Amino acid sequence: MFLDLGRGEEGLIRFLHTADWQIGMKARHVAGAGKKVRAVRFDTIRHLLKVAVQRQADFIIVAGDIFEDNQVSNRLVHELLSILEQCSLDIYLLPGNHDPLTADSIYWRPTLVNNLPDNVHILTTYDRVQPLTGVIILPAPCFERKSNNDPTSHWAVAKDDAVKIGVAHGSLMIEGKYQTNDHPIALDTVLRQGLDYLALGHWHSLFSWDQRTYYCGTPEPTGFGELRGGNVLLVSIAGPGQVPEVEPIPVNNLIWEQWEYDLGIGLENILSLLKRRVGQLNKPEKTLVRLALVGHVSAVESTSIDEMVQWLNQRLFYLDLDQERLWAQPVTASLLNRARNQPFLQGLLTDLKVAAGILGTSLTDIPEDVVARAGPDPEIIDSLIQEGFGLEDIREAVRQLASLVEEV
């Protein structure tokens, strides 16, 4: 629990730790909603800056990846600077692996350098910075997108009688959670450098390794499946050597959800469950949903699914329909009876069943006595892939085949 020590108490400092704004994020995974998703990120930054002022922070640290890359437009740079300059607090920006200090870095661009507000400071070296009397920031900017070197290893040990805050962007060297070329950060950095707090960026979820080492996560989640995102951290330290009090504060505007339903329970039941679930959302108009439907579907059900998608699209910020495990099912009792006496239909059903098996889907409703003895060569799928056809393209072709069979 956060302990409000009260600003002004001797030795106390309070700052906001944030990271991974990724201004200019492409958001290709949400297709037509990408422009709206990018615009929301500016609203989130305005919000977190207000939070910092309202909670009486002394300054703000942004631990890397302020921009999506070094190729973002000048328009986005101007828009961000116009927001930052309205904040009454000093803001310290650390270049991360998305926007590293390479020759073409956004931080060397005249558009940014010539218009940098007085309250915004770019941490471009390993040299210590003193934001307040009795406080030292040790920055570790990224100079390349990938690196095998620990960015914090460049710091000289600060022996001053001051609150020491390290700022870095990379991956803590936790077995199974990092890659060796992803700016690896030693687990004993706080102890080795005598830090009071290590503010990290790069991982998009809120995570603490110990009482002094924190990832704040991204203030606005960037995709489906990101857990514990959408926060900033308000950090209060009573003095050198004191354990920090860290309070996560939600600031996200968008909510990302993943839902999955099996068609085995019936499409009408699924629609009823979806309406109830949407009705329970606090802000459906701010919610992005990836909806996975699993199972076999007839042509009639496909029409109902289309109508369901239209209903959801009118109520959600964005809907992504995952059809990877949705398989058109052309099998009806009438079709099976006709196929037993029709070699043409037997051939179509054989093609469909073999292709479904190769693609990892089983059409178990087609009995063996209906399947033609001589089926197609299973290597045909491999041949199509070698010719440049994507697996999803082939799946779609089989779905179309299934629909055609049903209409015969």
Side-chain angles (χ1 to χ4, degrees):
M1 178 179 294
F2 173 71
L3 178 62
D4 188 352
L5 299 174
R7 189 178 183 183
E9 184 175 329
E10 184 177 358
L12 173 75
I13 67 143
R14 179 179 290 135
F15 62 92
L16 198 76
H17 169 199
T18 178
D20 298 283
W21 292 356
Q22 292 186 220
I23 297 300
M25 182 183 73
K26 302 298 188 296
R28 295 189 181 97
H29 56 300
V30 289
K35 184 176 181 180
K36 293 194 297 181
V37 168
R38 288 190 291 274
V40 165
R41 304 187 83 77
F42 284 115
D43 293 334
T44 302
I45 292 171
R46 292 185 183 93
H47 182 199
L48 70 86
L49 294 178
K50 289 180 181 178
V51 167
V53 173
Q54 291 169 354
R55 298 301 298 269
Q56 297 184 314
D58 295 303
F59 54 88
I60 298 168
I61 290 175
V62 191
D65 284 0
I66 291 84
F67 297 98
E68 172 68 9
D69 52 43
N70 283 326
Q71 287 73 51
V72 298
S73 69
N74 286 337
R75 180 185 64 79
L76 290 178
V77 173
H78 280 299
E79 188 168 358
L80 178 62
L81 294 181
S82 70
I83 294 171
L84 300 183
E85 70 185 10
Q86 297 177 45
C87 183
S88 59
L89 304 177
D90 281 332
I91 304 169
Y92 296 87
L93 306 180
L94 182 84
N97 71 308
H98 272 254
D99 50 4
L101 290 169
T102 51
D104 64 342
S105 177
I106 185 69
Y107 299 107
W108 307 136
R109 194 185 299 181
T111 302
L112 187 144
V113 173
N114 295 337
N115 296 285
L116 197 67
D118 292 339
N119 65 317
V120 179
H121 315 277
I122 312 298
L123 302 172
T124 59
T125 71
Y126 299 111
D127 297 336
R128 65 179 63 182
V129 175
Q130 189 173 25
L132 299 171
T133 301
V135 180
I136 294 172
I137 294 177
L138 296 174
C142 292
F143 289 89
E144 50 192 332
R145 288 189 64 87
K146 295 288 185 180
S147 175
N148 295 310
N149 300 318
D150 182 347
T152 69
S153 64
H154 299 275
W155 294 335
V157 177
K159 297 182 179 180
D160 312 60
D161 185 20
V163 171
K164 293 178 280 292
I165 303 165
V167 186
H169 191 89
S171 293
L172 280 174
M173 297 172 67
I174 301 173
E175 195 64 35
K177 290 181 65 70
Y178 84 104
Q179 296 177 340
T180 56
N181 66 345
D182 199 23
H183 302 276
I185 297 173
L187 298 177
D188 65 346
T189 299
V190 164
L191 182 62
R192 187 182 71 246
Q193 297 291 342
L195 302 177
D196 293 291
Y197 185 83
L198 178 57
L200 296 176
H202 190 41
W203 292 358
H204 286 192
S205 299
L206 173 61
F207 177 82
S208 63
W209 172 247
D210 53 35
Q211 290 180 306
R212 301 180 186 274
T213 305
Y214 279 82
Y215 285 96
C216 56
T218 175
E220 193 63 61
T222 60
F224 300 102
E226 285 187 3
L227 303 177
R228 304 193 72 199
N231 298 285
V232 294
L233 298 179
L234 187 67
V235 183
S236 298
I237 306 178
Q242 299 298 307
V243 176
E245 295 287 344
V246 181
E247 179 188 3
I249 302 176
V251 294
N252 58 301
N253 281 287
L254 298 180
I255 302 164
W256 301 68
E257 299 265 355
Q258 294 190 102
W259 301 348
E260 180 175 311
Y261 293 94
D262 193 317
L263 287 168
I265 68 173
L267 195 55
E268 289 186 4
N269 288 331
I270 291 175
L271 181 56
S272 177
L273 291 171
L274 282 172
K275 287 184 175 180
R276 184 184 310 162
R277 196 164 186 175
V278 171
Q280 292 172 345
L281 293 174
N282 289 329
K283 296 180 179 180
E285 74 283 359
K286 296 291 186 181
T287 303
L288 299 88
V289 173
R290 172 169 288 166
L291 174 62
L293 296 178
V294 182
H296 298 113
V297 60
S298 67
V300 173
E301 289 174 323
S302 294
T303 301
S304 297
I305 289 175
D306 289 342
E307 293 177 357
M308 178 179 70
V309 167
Q310 293 176 26
W311 186 90
L312 290 168
N313 276 328
Q314 295 303 313
R315 289 156 178 82
L316 301 173
F317 186 90
Y318 175 78
L319 174 69
D320 175 32
L321 182 61
D322 180 359
Q323 302 183 74
E324 283 289 315
R325 290 169 290 166
L326 184 63
W327 196 261
Q329 174 56 285
V331 179
T332 63
S334 174
L335 180 60
L336 289 176
N337 288 331
R338 293 172 61 190
R340 287 186 171 91
N341 299 313
Q342 293 288 337
F344 174 71
L345 289 180
Q346 288 182 15
L348 285 176
L349 290 176
T350 300
D351 289 349
L352 184 59
K353 185 166 185 175
V354 171
I358 294 172
L359 294 173
T361 301
S362 175
L363 295 183
T364 55
D365 291 340
I366 304 179
E368 290 300 322
D369 67 330
V370 174
V371 177
R373 292 184 180 180
D377 184 355
E379 294 182 358
I380 188 172
I381 301 295
D382 291 334
S383 299
L384 288 171
I385 293 174
Q386 291 175 9
E387 289 294 328
F389 290 93
L391 197 57
E392 183 52 38
D393 294 330
I394 300 171
R395 287 195 179 98
E396 180 58 30
V398 175
R399 292 189 191 103
Q400 295 295 334
L401 175 60
S403 297
L404 287 172
V405 171
E406 190 171 16
E407 294 172 4
V408 172

